[in-house]
Amino acid sequence: MIPRRGILIVLSSPSGAGKTTLTSDLLNWDPLIAFSVSATTRPARPGEREGREYQFRSRAEFRRMVADGEMLEHAEVFGNLYGTPKAAVEETISKGRDLLFDIDWQGARQLRRSELGRDVVSVFLLPPSIADLRSRLEARAQDSEEVIEGRMEQAENEIDHWTDSEYVLVNRDLDETAANLRMIVMAERLKRVRQPGLVKFVQGLNAEFKGRR
């Protein structure tokens, strides 16, 4: 197998468009895909473990990492800081493993503009209709009407940024969308720029030609 560089898969969507299900499907499909573990300043919740759900950092340590350029992207959400440490990402993709990110459009934009932007593969999920999106949120039976209205307003804002992504999938059928997402990943892995081992391989082919003369 020719060595390749890993990719950074950013899957974005409004709540209710199927991102959680498709994320699980992708992680189960290929063990070479890992979930990116973010750093956060919020306290660990019962059952959470350092390095599994999050990398837990003090606010001072988090801000130092940002100041020293150790974060690829970061944001403040409900008073807590969240971000993606650069070192772990670089180490993972240099070994040919892919990372799947669950970040909002602002984090995705920062990631694309970072020094690892060339490794980013961004995919946006759209619902087949707004009525369908609301129906999916209501079917969860987890949120109040007020919360659902808030999620719908947030969805409108998120959908406004669909053009930021390279790929857009309309999730009419979950199995079909999952298959298309896998095809995107496979095609991106095969790009010449992601296979640094090709140079040495082609040099070997050229050497074989010379040996025939």
Side-chain angles (χ1 to χ4, degrees):
M1 181 182 293
I2 299 173
R4 71 172 180 87
R5 183 175 174 83
I7 57 177
L8 308 180
I9 307 164
V10 179
L11 190 58
S12 304
S13 79
S15 181
K19 181 173 67 173
T20 300
T21 302
L22 289 165
T23 293
S24 298
D25 178 84
L26 206 56
L27 292 171
N28 291 329
W29 169 63
D30 192 338
L32 285 178
I33 302 175
F35 195 77
S36 176
V37 179
S38 299
T40 184
T41 59
R42 78 157 172 77
R45 294 169 181 161
E48 291 184 333
R49 192 172 66 202
E50 166 67 24
R52 186 178 64 184
E53 283 78 17
Y54 287 99
Q55 297 179 30
F56 296 98
R57 299 290 182 267
S58 68
R59 182 169 286 264
E61 174 64 6
F62 192 104
R63 292 198 178 280
R64 183 202 63 75
M65 294 176 72
V66 172
D68 291 348
E70 297 178 15
M71 289 288 186
L72 287 171
E73 59 83 25
H74 65 281
E76 184 165 356
V77 181
F78 299 122
N80 295 306
L81 299 172
Y82 295 82
T84 303
K86 179 169 63 177
V89 172
E90 289 181 322
E91 180 182 1
T92 299
I93 62 175
S94 68
K95 294 178 179 178
R97 292 201 67 189
D98 307 317
L99 279 173
L100 180 58
F101 288 78
D102 182 7
I103 52 180
D104 65 13
W105 66 268
Q106 297 177 83
R109 180 175 291 180
Q110 289 183 54
L111 200 59
R112 286 193 301 272
R113 293 175 177 176
S114 74
E115 59 195 84
L116 297 182
R118 65 188 177 92
D119 300 305
V120 173
V121 177
S122 52
V123 183
F124 199 95
L125 297 173
L126 288 172
S129 70
I130 300 306
D132 183 86
L133 182 67
R134 185 180 184 89
S135 177
R136 292 181 188 182
L137 291 174
E138 291 174 341
R140 294 177 178 179
Q142 296 175 341
D143 301 319
S144 65
E145 182 66 23
E146 183 180 359
V147 170
I148 290 175
E149 281 299 327
R151 292 190 185 279
M152 292 298 294
E153 290 180 12
Q154 185 180 15
E156 183 176 6
N157 178 55
E158 290 168 343
I159 289 175
D160 280 344
H161 300 279
W162 70 277
T163 56
D164 288 350
S165 298
E166 298 170 272
Y167 299 92
V168 178
L169 299 174
V170 179
N171 188 18
R172 295 185 179 90
D173 179 85
L174 192 60
D175 290 338
E176 180 183 353
T177 304
N180 287 334
L181 183 57
R182 294 174 187 179
M183 284 192 286
I184 290 171
V185 171
M186 288 189 289
E188 287 289 338
R189 286 173 171 177
L190 292 172
K191 282 187 173 179
R192 176 178 55 82
V193 294
R194 307 203 196 283
Q195 300 185 75
L198 277 176
V199 174
K200 186 175 182 179
F201 179 77
V202 174
Q203 288 173 344
L205 294 179
N206 288 334
E208 287 186 53
F209 275 122
K210 293 177 181 178
R212 287 166 47 88
R213 296 169 187 160

